[in-house]
């Protein structure tokens, strides 16, 4: 490829990384807010959080991008730029999946911990901040890592808006060179490298968080074998 085409691919990588960071931040915020709301003591809060989760989990991310980019502007009289439209659609969609991770991790904390906080007269916010989240967050990291990889692959959907992400740039290069196999192989490798780096980053974060709450990585326990024959 020529220098100009490589620059186009690099710009696509940068756009994809920006979209990934912005949408993952929004998805994380939505995940924690909705996930915590799904464990709230008031049924109306749980109902609204559950309704949001079911709606966004049950709709296509691609259709949501179309809806945010093409339906919202005439309805409200304003236009989102592709970057913010993609961030909003992906963040809200994947945040719905993340909320289930948060809810499940909070529910997995030993109920005795919650009861201990009540015995100490902690407020619900104090119990959440000081007892539940420090124990639940390390357990959220592996499923959040998988969700982050899915979000990375989901960023390719924004190419339907004409946004110059990695997938869109790769298609332009393919049209310019009239070559498909080599270009799409490059794209697969680039996505793989980004995903591999994200996985390593999340594993490091998991180890750090588990060390902070006194948990050790799971190790294989070897049972000593008896010496000699059976017991006579």
């Amino acid at each position: 490829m020529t220098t100009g085409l490589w620059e186009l691919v690099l710009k696509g990588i940068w756009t994809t990384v920006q979209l990934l960071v912005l949408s993952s931040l929004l998805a994380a915020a939505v995940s924690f807010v909705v996930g915590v709301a799904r464990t709230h003591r008031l049924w109306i809060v749980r109902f609204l959080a559950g309704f949001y989760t079911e709606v966004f989990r049950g709709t296509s991310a691609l259709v949501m991008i179309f809806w945010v980019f093409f339906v919202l502007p005439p309805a409200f009289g304003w236009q989102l730029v592709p970057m913010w439209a993609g961030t909003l659609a992906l963040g809200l969609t994947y945040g719905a999946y993340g909320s289930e991770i948060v809810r499940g991790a909070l529910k997995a904390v030993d109920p005795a911990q919650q009861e201990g906080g009540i015995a100490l007269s902690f407020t619900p916010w104090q119990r959440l901040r000081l007892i539940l989240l420090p124990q639940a967050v390390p357990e959220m990291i592996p499923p959040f890592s998988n969700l982050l990889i899915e979000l990375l692959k989901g960023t390719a959907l924004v190419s339907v808006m004409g946004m110059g992400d990695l997938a869109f740039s790769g298609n332009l290069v393919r049209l310019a060179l009239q070559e498909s196999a080599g270009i799409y192989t490059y794209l697969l490798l680039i996505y793989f490298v980004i995903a591999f780096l994200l996985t390593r980053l999340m594993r490091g974060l998991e180890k750090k968080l588990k060390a902070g709450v006194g948990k050790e990585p799971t190790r294989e326990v070897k049972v000593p074998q008896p010496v000699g024959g059976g017991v006579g």
Side-chain angles (χ1 to χ4, degrees):
M1 289 194 297
T2 64
T3 303
L5 293 179
W6 275 116
E7 290 179 355
L8 184 62
V9 172
L10 291 177
K11 288 180 180 178
I13 295 174
W14 174 237
T15 299
T16 294
V17 170
Q18 290 183 82
L19 179 62
L20 175 65
V21 171
L22 293 173
S23 57
S24 62
L25 289 175
L26 177 58
V30 170
S31 297
F32 277 93
V33 171
V34 178
V36 171
R38 296 205 66 187
T39 64
H40 201 274
R41 63 182 183 276
L42 296 178
W43 74 268
I44 185 63
V45 177
R46 297 195 304 271
F47 172 78
L48 292 175
F51 179 76
Y52 165 84
T53 301
E54 294 302 325
V55 168
F56 279 87
R57 282 196 312 174
T59 54
S60 167
L62 179 60
V63 176
M64 187 60 64
I65 290 174
F66 280 129
W67 197 87
V68 171
F69 192 63
F70 295 109
V71 177
L72 283 182
F76 293 95
W78 42 263
Q79 178 69 56
L80 286 173
V81 297
M83 175 64 76
W84 294 115
T87 297
L88 184 62
L90 293 175
L92 292 177
T93 299
Y94 286 89
Y97 291 97
S99 68
E100 281 296 281
I101 296 174
V102 174
R103 184 190 66 82
L106 291 175
K107 289 291 187 181
V109 176
D110 190 346
Q113 300 287 331
Q114 181 88 293
E115 295 169 1
I118 296 174
L120 293 171
S121 300
F122 283 0
T123 64
W125 167 244
Q126 287 175 323
R127 294 198 299 270
L128 177 67
R129 181 171 58 90
L130 300 176
I131 298 176
L132 297 179
L133 284 179
Q135 298 180 68
V137 168
E139 305 303 324
M140 300 177 194
I141 300 301
F144 265 132
S145 178
N146 290 334
L147 189 62
L148 186 60
I149 301 304
E150 290 297 322
L151 178 55
L152 168 63
K153 294 185 286 187
T155 58
L157 297 174
V158 301
S159 60
V160 300
M161 298 185 293
M163 186 174 171
D165 71 312
L166 180 57
F168 185 81
S169 300
N171 190 51
L172 292 181
V173 174
R174 181 188 68 85
L175 294 174
L177 298 180
Q178 292 297 308
E179 179 184 355
S180 297
I183 300 304
Y184 285 128
T185 300
Y186 282 132
L187 293 185
L188 287 175
L189 290 175
I190 292 171
Y191 277 113
F192 171 77
V193 170
I194 298 175
F196 180 80
L197 294 176
L198 289 175
T199 302
R200 290 299 176 183
L201 178 65
M202 295 297 283
R203 285 183 180 176
L205 180 61
E206 180 187 4
K207 290 181 179 179
K208 184 176 180 179
L209 290 175
K210 286 190 174 181
V213 294
K215 292 185 177 181
E216 293 288 340
T218 304
R219 296 178 181 177
E220 182 181 357
V221 179
K222 294 184 178 180
V223 179
Q225 299 295 325
V227 179
V231 179

